[in-house]
Amino acid sequence: FNGSGLRSIELPFSVESLAPGAFSKCAELVSATVDASVGAVPARLFSECPSLVSVSLGEGISEIASSAFKSCSALSSINLPLSLTKIAANAFEGCSSLSAVRAEGSMRSVDIASVFSNDVKSKATVVLPAKSRDGSDESFETMSGVWKTTHGFSKAVGTEGALPLESDAPGSPNADPTKAGWSLDADGALKVWSAEKLADFGWVYNAPAYRNEHWGPVRGFVKSVDTAGVSDVHSMSCWFRNMPVLTDITGFKVPESTKIVADVFTSDLS
């Protein structure tokens, strides 16, 4: 498939072998999911894929080999499975747009610090669960500290949060997670719920707020959405915009009183 016109790739667990450079120089490739039982992401597997935005790696992958994602200049998000034990120092060389890295634990045994450039570590956000999923039950705070002090990243966010209600005072920091919130599970399922009417987030397609607020930083990891638990909302503008691996919207529901449903699933990722 080297140099082919593929736009997305999903490699199932049944795949047992991948050749080095198998999908390199695929100029139109936007997203890739590797659940294959290959043990390692081979050298140059996705190198020089300038449109590749998001990559999902399955558990069981223990190594990311040399230049696996080299010069993927549009790559904005990638997850690092707990099974990883080794990442080549140049695996992400030239990935200048990387803005989100998802991990399920502290990953102390992996030399993360030498893998990503200082520029990436200063601007990218590490996405972590409320508790580690490696059996240690480390808190978000502990994991965040390791990713900052040991791995060298400057920012970390969780996979869940409270949402503001219309009844809250403008700008109120006292959002109640028992009344309204969102969560992203390990399988990429994003759930949004509210017991009362949600405040208008004020998201519009040409402003950065929808990328930075609430579930904004985890957009690259969302595979399915569920809004059945949303009681009431004025606007759903840009709620699920620019989610490159989103494939399941069967759980998407619009509350009857919603006034604005615009740019909900649109994308300018190409």
Side-chain angles (χ1 to χ4, degrees), residues 107 150 157 206:
M107 301 188 73
T150 302
V157 299
N206 58 352

Side-chain angles (χ1 to χ4, degrees), residues 53-142:
V53 172
S54 180
V55 174
S56 176
L57 302 177
E59 285 296 336
I61 292 175
S62 60
E63 179 181 355
I64 300 177
S66 176
S67 302
F69 301 99
K70 184 177 180 180
S71 299
C72 291
S73 55
L75 184 64
S76 63
S77 62
I78 189 164
N79 73 298
L80 302 178
L82 287 170
S83 51
L84 267 180
T85 59
K86 182 180 180 181
I87 306 176
N90 64 348
F92 295 95
E93 182 180 341
C95 296
S96 56
S97 298
L98 199 59
S99 60
V101 176
R102 183 171 186 179
E104 304 301 329
S106 296
M107 301 188 73
R108 288 180 176 85
S109 62
V110 184
D111 184 9
I112 301 289
S114 65
V115 172
F116 299 99
S117 69
N118 289 333
D119 180 59
V120 166
K121 288 184 288 187
S122 68
K123 69 182 182 182
T125 298
V126 180
V127 179
L128 300 165
K131 284 189 176 182
S132 66
R133 298 188 172 112
D134 58 6
S136 67
D137 278 341
E138 284 186 329
S139 67
F140 169 82
E141 290 73 18
T142 299

Side-chain angles (χ1 to χ4, degrees), residues 119-208:
D119 180 59
V120 166
K121 288 184 288 187
S122 68
K123 69 182 182 182
T125 298
V126 180
V127 179
L128 300 165
K131 284 189 176 182
S132 66
R133 298 188 172 112
D134 58 6
S136 67
D137 278 341
E138 284 186 329
S139 67
F140 169 82
E141 290 73 18
T142 299
M143 290 183 289
S144 176
V146 173
W147 276 88
K148 291 177 181 178
T149 60
T150 302
H151 300 325
F153 282 76
S154 60
K155 295 176 287 185
V157 299
T159 53
E160 59 186 49
L163 293 171
L165 298 170
E166 194 173 78
S167 58
D168 293 335
S172 171
N174 301 316
D176 185 346
T178 65
K179 292 183 177 180
W182 66 274
S183 64
L184 180 72
D185 70 14
D187 296 320
L190 175 66
K191 186 176 181 179
V192 185
W193 70 92
S194 68
E196 301 176 19
K197 188 172 185 177
L198 285 172
D200 184 356
F201 302 156
W203 289 350
V204 291
Y205 78 94
N206 58 352

Side-chain angles (χ1 to χ4, degrees), residues 1-4 6 9 11 15 17-26 29 41-47 49 67-68:
F1 297 98
N2 179 290
S4 72
L6 290 171
I9 296 170
L11 300 173
V15 176
S17 177
L18 288 170
F23 300 102
S24 66
K25 299 181 181 179
C26 290
L29 184 64
V41 175
R44 307 182 312 282
L45 183 66
F46 294 109
S47 66
C49 292
S67 302

